[in-house]
Amino acid sequence: MPSASCDTLLDDIEDIVSQQDSKPQDRHFAKKHILPKARRRKTQMCLQEEDSPPSDSTIPGIQKIWIRTWGCSHNNSDGEYMAGQLAAYGYKITENASDADLWLLNSCTVKNPAEDHFRNSIKRAQEENKKIVLAGCVPQAQPRQDYLQGLSVIGVQQIDRVVEVVEETIKGHSVRLLGQKKDNGKRLGGAPLDLPKIRKNPLIEIISINTGCLNACTYCKTKHARGNLASYPIDELVDRAKQSFQEGVCEIWLTSEDTGAYGRDIGTDLPTLLWKLVEVIPEGAMLRLGMTNPPYILEHLEEMAKVLNHPRVYAFLHIPVQSASDAVLMAMKREYCVADFRRVVDFLKEKVPGITIATDIICGFPGETDQDFQETVKLVEEYKFPSLFINQFYPRPGTPAAKMEQVPAQVKKQRTKDLSRVFHSYSPYDHKIGERQQVLVTEESFDSKFYVAHNRFYEQVLVPKNPTFMGKMVEVDIYESGKHFMKGKPVADAKVYTPSISKPLAKGEVSGLTEEFRSRHGSPLSSMSQGVLAGSRVGLWLQRLHQDGALTVSVGLTLLALLLAFFVKLYN
């Protein structure tokens, strides 16, 4: 190819692929319309091609891919969607990083340590000569960082095109796809919700109800990646919930950068969505609401209290306060004061007895004085939050807070330690010993000694590892408590209730495979169908090479031999 064609950097795959161009899966199913076309070529060209195979001689669609995700539940949902699409197209998703041909690294930009882990993983992948695709908030917010150059990037709103990006990367190309989803000029919530996905936990469905937010917090880098508020329509969210329950899910998490702001851009609101979702939740299954900032929940306190009292909704709400100093909140541009936060918490505690309020606090924000910090300490001592996320402030590049006068590092560390000490000075669950509770069992504990369940207030209860409990509602007697958990003993002869309306998918199985998708692609879950997909791609690829005059007899025979060996290994 002439050097002039490489003079212009392609910032986006849109530069070479338009909406009208066929996608990889479309080309596969157009196979029957492809006719070999003979071309005369010089003997010298044949010799060159035989000695130097074409640059795109790697066959996409049969490689192993390792996916690593950092950050929030929204990011985890994106990772599940990307895994599902890749598996549906024939790629194998592996948990063994060293065994993978390509690493898909899905990043978080909230704090410096998360980005450091992301950067180190890129370096390790390069050292191990892995193909790399980058995703998540870091490359979306700062695509021109030096350590990202030359690598393929897929934006947070473009995850429905991950197959295209991976395919081009496998072939040795570096592409970037960072555009926004729009409909008639209006920004959409993101990729479609009905895409295939592989749930990390087959019993839990994470649904992103909106992307972005309405705030402009001075410390936040996520805003640079996720942008302004864009909500999904209620009917699409309800349909996704229905599909999840039909696939054996028994717990749904609603997530976004700010769930409380949901619907303001499309003429609706969060309580309206929640009441529609409650209508389709099977008895015994549960809904958990994600983080909401104080300003937007204030308008809906009465209705939110009613929803949180519903038996199929966890009495749990995550409301970040960040600081109990109005001066600090003003510097953060949080758009509320401490009195607003107190009003929300006090109202919900009164109207929803036993509700769990989780909150976040940033220690050492620029300009925070000792008096500011002591006000925060007093707030924690007063409310004794059972779930508290304490974060040392990290200045994120490109944010207003990074340009402010910083609190000394040692002071930030000490304040973080002091607040952590206060948090660990009280036991939130001791008074619950002796209670009888209904709990929903959804996962295994990190030490593999217990199953993890949650009660009505989304408090963690550890129960014995009885396989019949998984995905079920179980009645237990609380006999022990710790800082972050309780332990429950199953009640003798108590009924084990199954909330799922169908059998859950197997771990690693692809969700969201509609009949239309299956009819076109076949089931991607068996080795036989993966082999068919791979074989079809090989045939299509060989036809392309033949049309381009790049297929010699010796190269063709070699490739056919490799293909035969692949099928023998696959079916044995």
Side-chain angles (χ1 to χ4, degrees), residues 35-39 41 540-552:
L35 297 175
K37 181 179 179 181
R39 287 187 179 180
R41 54 191 182 276
L540 177 58
W541 179 72
L542 290 175
Q543 286 179 323
R544 287 183 195 164
L545 293 183
H546 182 79
Q547 285 181 301
D548 293 339
L551 181 63
T552 64

Side-chain angles (χ1 to χ4, degrees), residues 160-326:
D160 56 331
R161 298 180 66 182
V162 65
V163 171
E164 295 173 63
V165 176
V166 166
E167 183 177 47
E168 293 301 319
T169 304
I170 290 289
K171 294 193 293 187
H173 303 152
S174 174
V175 294
R176 294 192 165 203
L177 188 57
L178 294 167
Q180 302 292 321
K181 295 286 186 192
K182 295 183 179 181
D183 182 19
N184 294 324
K186 182 176 175 60
R187 187 166 177 263
L188 301 178
L193 293 172
D194 59 354
L195 294 169
K197 74 188 303 186
I198 296 178
R199 298 185 184 95
K200 185 177 180 180
N201 184 336
L203 298 173
I204 298 175
E205 167 71 2
I206 306 172
I207 303 179
S208 302
I209 63 175
N210 58 267
T211 191
C213 68
L214 294 172
N215 297 332
C217 301
T218 56
Y219 57 83
C220 182
K221 190 69 178 177
T222 306
K223 176 79 173 188
H224 297 194
R226 298 284 182 177
N228 291 322
L229 178 70
S231 306
Y232 285 99
I234 288 180
D235 57 344
E236 292 183 18
L237 294 166
V238 171
D239 287 344
R240 182 67 200 182
K242 287 180 180 178
Q243 177 189 318
S244 301
F245 292 126
Q246 290 167 357
E247 294 172 339
V249 162
C250 61
E251 187 172 286
I252 283 184
W253 298 357
L254 299 185
T255 185
S256 77
E257 283 64 56
D258 187 352
T259 60
Y262 170 80
R264 285 175 168 250
D265 57 318
I266 58 173
T268 187
D269 55 44
L270 181 61
T272 302
L273 168 65
L274 294 176
W275 285 123
K276 289 293 184 181
L277 286 170
V278 163
E279 293 176 4
V280 301
I281 301 175
E283 184 178 355
M286 298 297 291
L287 172 71
R288 192 194 80 174
L289 183 59
M291 186 272 288
T292 175
N293 283 311
Y296 307 112
I297 203 70
L298 273 167
E299 297 180 19
H300 308 297
L301 280 179
E302 289 279 358
E303 205 64 20
M304 286 301 301
K306 294 177 183 177
V307 174
L308 292 170
N309 272 309
H310 194 283
R312 294 195 285 277
V313 179
Y314 284 118
F316 167 91
L317 203 56
H318 179 191
I319 315 170
V321 65
Q322 304 301 6
S323 173
S325 163
D326 285 342

